[in-house]
Amino acid sequence: RLAPIEHGDLPGGPLHMVAVFNWGQAGESVTVALDQAGLAADGFYTVYEVPLRRYAGTVTERLTVETEPGGVRLFALRPFR
């Protein structure tokens, strides 16, 4: 359900991409622990939903998202400054 994290250094700091997949036949709530994704569990991150070009808030410790059946959601996380 969790795609590998890609780290990129851009103006404004590093950017971390997280893709959440739902291969199932029903909608599902998926929680991703930041440390499981290779990020600092105690970090504070700004979250953007990439395809929608939408600010999605801030997270610490975990990211929880709702997914459609057979869906994927792509997020960019950046350390909050």
Side-chain angles (χ1 to χ4, degrees):
R1 289 191 189 140
L2 176 65
I5 302 296
E6 296 295 328
H7 301 269
D9 287 321
L10 300 172
L15 186 65
H16 310 278
M17 304 299 291
V18 176
V20 180
F21 294 85
N22 178 358
W23 300 108
Q25 299 289 323
E28 186 175 354
S29 178
V30 177
T31 298
V32 177
L34 297 183
D35 60 344
Q36 178 186 27
L39 303 173
D42 61 349
F44 187 56
Y45 296 89
T46 301
V47 182
Y48 299 92
E49 189 159 9
V50 176
L52 301 179
R53 295 182 172 186
R54 179 178 72 182
Y55 171 73
T58 57
V59 296
T60 187
E61 295 184 23
R62 66 187 57 83
L63 172 67
T64 300
V65 299
E66 300 297 321
T67 60
E68 297 292 325
V72 62
R73 297 192 56 194
L74 178 63
F75 298 92
L77 284 75
R78 177 169 279 166
F80 183 81
R81 294 178 188 234

